[in-house]
């Protein structure tokens, strides 16, 4: 691929990401939801009570990020945590009644984001989704291994 084509593709993807995130923030912030939290709420709505490890795997977020996000959602009254009855190391997360009541609004906001995102595209929606899924799948297949994080040693 020529540099000019590579630059145009990479810039288009970057611009889509920036603009889509701005739409997501505008749609979800009136509900008190951060775009990253939306993913966790939708997963809990789809699957029901889940461990934090399951939410991390489903979202692709690191466990410490999940812990902080769940704490924010819990403080907002949208989720509740409880110890797992079968694994003392695990914590179960579930939607509260307030969280379940908010889900139709979250889904409506997320649908508006999708409509706004695709409004100017002439390609049929199913075809657009197929191309984007193919792109995402190709990126996942070519994902480099995550390097080990440096370990810092505290010196007394």
């Amino acid at each position: 691929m020529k540099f000019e084509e590579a630059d145009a593709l990479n810039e288009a993807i970057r611009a889509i990401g920036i603009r889509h995130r701005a739409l997501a923030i505008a749609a979800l912030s009136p509900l008190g939801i951060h775009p990253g939290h939306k993913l966790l709420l939708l997963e809990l709505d789809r699957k029901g009570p889940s461990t934090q490890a399951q939410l991390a795997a489903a979202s692709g977020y690191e466990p410490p990020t999940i812990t902080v996000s769940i704490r924010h959602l819990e403080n907002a009254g949208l989720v509740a945590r409880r110890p797992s009855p079968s694994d003392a190391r695990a914590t179960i997360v579930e939607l509260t009644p307030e969280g379940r009541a908010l889900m139709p609004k979250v889904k409506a906001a997320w649908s508006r984001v999708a409509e706004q995102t695709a409004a100017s595209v002439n390609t049929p929606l199913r075809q657009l989704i197929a191309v984007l899924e193919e792109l995402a799948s190709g990126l996942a297949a070519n994902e480099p291994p995550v390097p080990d994080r440096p370990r810092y040693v505290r010196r007394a």
Side-chain angles (χ1 to χ4, degrees):
M1 181 181 296
K2 294 179 182 174
F3 172 78
E4 291 77 17
E5 292 171 328
D7 189 46
L9 175 63
N10 289 328
E11 185 56 31
I13 291 170
R14 184 187 75 78
I16 290 167
I18 289 169
R19 292 180 183 125
H20 186 265
R21 182 165 175 80
L23 287 174
I25 290 169
L28 296 169
S29 64
L31 303 176
I33 304 297
H34 182 276
H37 296 164
K38 174 264 327 156
L39 183 65
L40 300 175
L41 292 171
L42 287 174
E43 183 69 15
L44 290 168
D45 186 55
R46 248 191 312 274
K47 300 274 177 77
S50 303
T51 65
Q52 289 188 195
Q54 289 169 327
L55 292 170
S59 67
Y61 296 149
E62 294 289 325
T65 302
I66 292 294
T67 301
V68 170
S69 294
I70 294 299
R71 190 175 307 126
H72 288 146
L73 292 169
E74 187 177 37
N75 290 341
L78 302 175
V79 302
R81 290 187 283 184
R82 61 182 162 81
S84 169
S86 59
D87 183 351
R89 300 166 297 168
T91 300
I92 305 290
V93 181
E94 60 189 323
L95 291 173
T96 62
E98 294 84 0
R100 280 191 293 284
L102 185 65
M103 290 313 298
K105 291 179 183 178
V106 171
K107 290 177 180 180
W110 199 234
S111 293
R112 283 192 308 276
V113 169
E115 289 167 1
Q116 292 171 322
T117 299
S120 65
V121 177
N122 293 324
T123 304
L125 188 57
R126 288 182 187 204
Q127 191 176 349
L128 176 61
I129 292 168
V131 168
L132 293 172
E133 286 175 343
E134 183 180 358
L135 180 61
S137 179
L139 287 171
N142 292 318
E143 213 169 88
V146 177
D148 286 338
R149 291 187 177 159
R151 302 195 194 287
Y152 298 98
V153 178
R154 276 202 171 146
R155 296 176 192 239

